[in-house]
Coordinates of all heavy atoms in Angstrom, one line a residue:
L1 N 124.1 160.1 74.5 CA 125.1 159.7 75.5 C 124.7 158.4 76.1 O 123.5 158.3 76.6 CB 125.3 160.8 76.5 CG 125.8 162.1 76.0 CD1 125.8 163.2 77.2 CD2 127.2 162.0 75.5
I2 N 125.6 157.5 76.2 CA 125.3 156.2 76.8 C 126.4 155.8 77.8 O 127.5 156.4 77.7 CB 125.1 155.1 75.8 CG1 126.4 154.9 75.0 CG2 124.0 155.3 74.8 CD1 126.5 153.7 74.1
D3 N 126.1 154.9 78.7 CA 127.1 154.4 79.6 C 126.8 152.9 79.7 O 126.0 152.5 80.4 CB 126.9 155.1 81.0 CG 128.0 154.6 82.0 OD1 128.9 153.8 81.6 OD2 127.8 154.9 83.2
L4 N 127.6 152.1 78.9 CA 127.5 150.7 78.9 C 128.4 150.1 80.0 O 129.6 150.4 80.0 CB 127.8 150.1 77.5 CG 126.8 150.6 76.4 CD1 127.3 150.0 75.1 CD2 125.4 150.2 76.7
E5 N 127.9 149.1 80.8 CA 128.7 148.4 81.7 C 128.6 146.9 81.4 O 127.5 146.4 81.1 CB 128.1 148.6 83.1 CG 128.3 150.0 83.6 CD 127.8 150.2 85.1 OE1 127.5 149.2 85.7 OE2 127.8 151.4 85.5
L6 N 129.8 146.3 81.4 CA 129.8 144.8 81.1 C 130.4 144.1 82.2 O 131.4 144.5 82.8 CB 130.7 144.6 79.8 CG 130.8 143.2 79.3 CD1 130.8 143.2 77.8 CD2 132.0 142.5 79.9
D7 N 129.8 143.0 82.6 CA 130.3 142.1 83.6 C 130.3 140.7 83.0 O 129.4 140.3 82.3 CB 129.3 142.1 84.8 CG 129.4 143.4 85.6 OD1 130.4 143.8 86.0 OD2 128.3 143.9 85.8
K8 N 131.4 139.9 83.4 CA 131.5 138.5 82.9 C 131.9 137.7 84.1 O 132.8 138.1 84.9 CB 132.6 138.4 81.8 CG 132.7 137.0 81.3 CD 133.7 136.9 80.2 CE 133.8 135.5 79.7 NZ 134.7 135.3 78.5
A9 N 131.2 136.5 84.3 CA 131.5 135.6 85.4 C 131.4 134.2 84.9 O 130.6 133.9 84.0 CB 130.6 135.9 86.5
A10 N 132.1 133.3 85.6 CA 131.9 131.9 85.4 C 131.1 131.3 86.6 O 131.2 131.8 87.7 CB 133.3 131.2 85.3
N11 N 130.3 130.3 86.3 CA 129.5 129.7 87.4 C 130.3 128.8 88.3 O 129.7 128.3 89.3 CB 128.3 129.1 86.8 CG 128.5 127.8 86.1 OD1 129.6 127.6 85.5 ND2 127.6 126.9 86.1
K12 N 131.5 128.4 88.0 CA 132.4 127.6 88.8 C 133.8 128.1 88.9 O 134.3 128.7 87.9 CB 132.4 126.2 88.2 CG 131.1 125.5 88.2 CD 131.2 124.1 87.6 CE 129.9 123.4 87.5 NZ 129.9 122.1 86.9
A13 N 134.4 127.9 90.1 CA 135.7 128.4 90.2 C 136.8 127.5 89.7 O 137.9 127.9 89.3 CB 136.0 128.7 91.7
S14 N 136.5 126.2 89.7 CA 137.4 125.2 89.1 C 136.6 124.0 88.6 O 135.5 123.7 89.1 CB 138.4 124.7 90.1 OG 137.8 124.0 91.2
V15 N 137.1 123.4 87.5 CA 136.4 122.3 86.9 C 137.4 121.3 86.5 O 138.6 121.6 86.4 CB 135.5 122.7 85.7 CG1 134.4 123.6 86.1 CG2 136.4 123.3 84.6
N16 N 137.0 120.0 86.3 CA 137.9 119.0 85.8 C 137.8 119.0 84.2 O 136.8 119.4 83.7 CB 137.5 117.6 86.3 CG 137.6 117.5 87.8 OD1 138.7 117.9 88.3 ND2 136.7 116.9 88.4
V17 N 138.9 118.5 83.6 CA 138.9 118.4 82.2 C 137.7 117.5 81.8 O 137.4 116.5 82.4 CB 140.2 117.7 81.7 CG1 140.1 117.4 80.2 CG2 141.4 118.7 81.9
G18 N 136.9 118.0 80.8 CA 135.7 117.2 80.3 C 134.4 117.8 80.9 O 133.4 117.4 80.4
E19 N 134.5 118.5 82.0 CA 133.3 119.1 82.6 C 132.9 120.3 81.9 O 133.7 121.1 81.3 CB 133.5 119.4 84.1 CG 133.6 118.3 85.0 CD 133.7 118.7 86.5 OE1 134.4 119.7 86.7 OE2 133.1 118.1 87.3
T20 N 131.6 120.6 81.9 CA 131.0 121.8 81.3 C 130.8 122.8 82.4 O 130.6 122.5 83.6 CB 129.7 121.5 80.6 OG1 128.8 121.0 81.5 CG2 129.9 120.6 79.4
F21 N 130.8 124.1 82.0 CA 130.5 125.2 82.9 C 130.0 126.3 82.1 O 129.9 126.2 80.8 CB 131.7 125.6 83.8 CG 132.9 126.1 83.0 CD1 133.1 127.5 82.8 CD2 133.8 125.2 82.5 CE1 134.2 127.9 82.1 CE2 134.9 125.7 81.8 CZ 135.1 127.0 81.6
I22 N 129.5 127.4 82.7 CA 128.9 128.5 82.0 C 129.6 129.8 82.3 O 129.8 130.2 83.4 CB 127.4 128.6 82.4 CG1 126.7 127.3 82.1 CG2 126.7 129.8 81.8 CD1 125.3 127.2 82.7
Y23 N 129.8 130.6 81.2 CA 130.2 132.0 81.3 C 128.9 132.8 81.1 O 128.1 132.5 80.2 CB 131.2 132.4 80.2 CG 132.6 131.9 80.3 CD1 133.1 131.0 79.4 CD2 133.3 132.3 81.4 CE1 134.4 130.6 79.5 CE2 134.7 131.9 81.5 CZ 135.2 131.0 80.6 OH 136.5 130.6 80.7
T24 N 128.7 133.8 81.9 CA 127.6 134.7 81.8 C 128.1 136.1 81.6 O 128.9 136.6 82.4 CB 126.7 134.7 83.0 OG1 126.2 133.3 83.2 CG2 125.5 135.6 82.8
I25 N 127.7 136.7 80.5 CA 128.1 138.1 80.2 C 126.8 139.0 80.3 O 125.8 138.6 79.7 CB 128.7 138.3 78.8 CG1 129.9 137.4 78.7 CG2 129.1 139.7 78.5 CD1 130.5 137.3 77.3
T26 N 126.9 140.1 81.0 CA 125.8 141.0 81.2 C 126.2 142.4 80.8 O 127.2 142.9 81.2 CB 125.3 141.0 82.7 OG1 125.0 139.7 83.1 CG2 124.1 141.9 82.9
V27 N 125.4 143.0 79.9 CA 125.6 144.4 79.5 C 124.4 145.2 80.0 O 123.3 144.8 79.7 CB 125.8 144.5 78.0 CG1 126.0 145.9 77.6 CG2 127.0 143.6 77.5
T28 N 124.7 146.3 80.7 CA 123.7 147.2 81.2 C 123.9 148.6 80.6 O 125.0 149.1 80.6 CB 123.7 147.3 82.7 OG1 123.6 146.0 83.2 CG2 122.6 148.1 83.2
N29 N 122.8 149.2 80.1 CA 122.9 150.6 79.6 C 122.4 151.5 80.8 O 121.3 151.6 81.1 CB 122.0 150.8 78.4 CG 122.1 152.2 77.9 OD1 122.9 153.0 78.4 ND2 121.3 152.5 76.9
E30 N 123.4 152.2 81.3 CA 123.1 153.2 82.4 C 122.6 154.5 81.9 O 122.3 155.4 82.7 CB 124.3 153.4 83.3 CG 124.8 152.1 84.0 CD 123.8 151.6 85.0 OE1 123.1 152.4 85.6 OE2 123.9 150.4 85.3
G31 N 122.5 154.7 80.6 CA 121.9 155.9 80.0 C 122.9 157.0 79.9 O 124.1 156.8 80.0
P32 N 122.4 158.2 79.7 CA 121.1 158.7 79.8 C 120.2 158.4 78.6 O 119.0 158.7 78.6 CB 121.2 160.2 80.1 CG 122.5 160.5 79.4 CD 123.4 159.4 79.5
D33 N 120.8 157.9 77.5 CA 120.1 157.7 76.3 C 120.1 156.2 75.9 O 121.0 155.4 76.4 CB 120.7 158.5 75.1 CG 120.5 160.0 75.3 OD1 119.4 160.4 75.6 OD2 121.5 160.7 75.1

């Protein structure tokens, strides 16, 4: 039995065309296995 949690966030709320930014995805296994 597993309990996977996924979160996704961007490091900026708004950007201009041509700018770079980062998406971060985090997956956590809350178990119990």
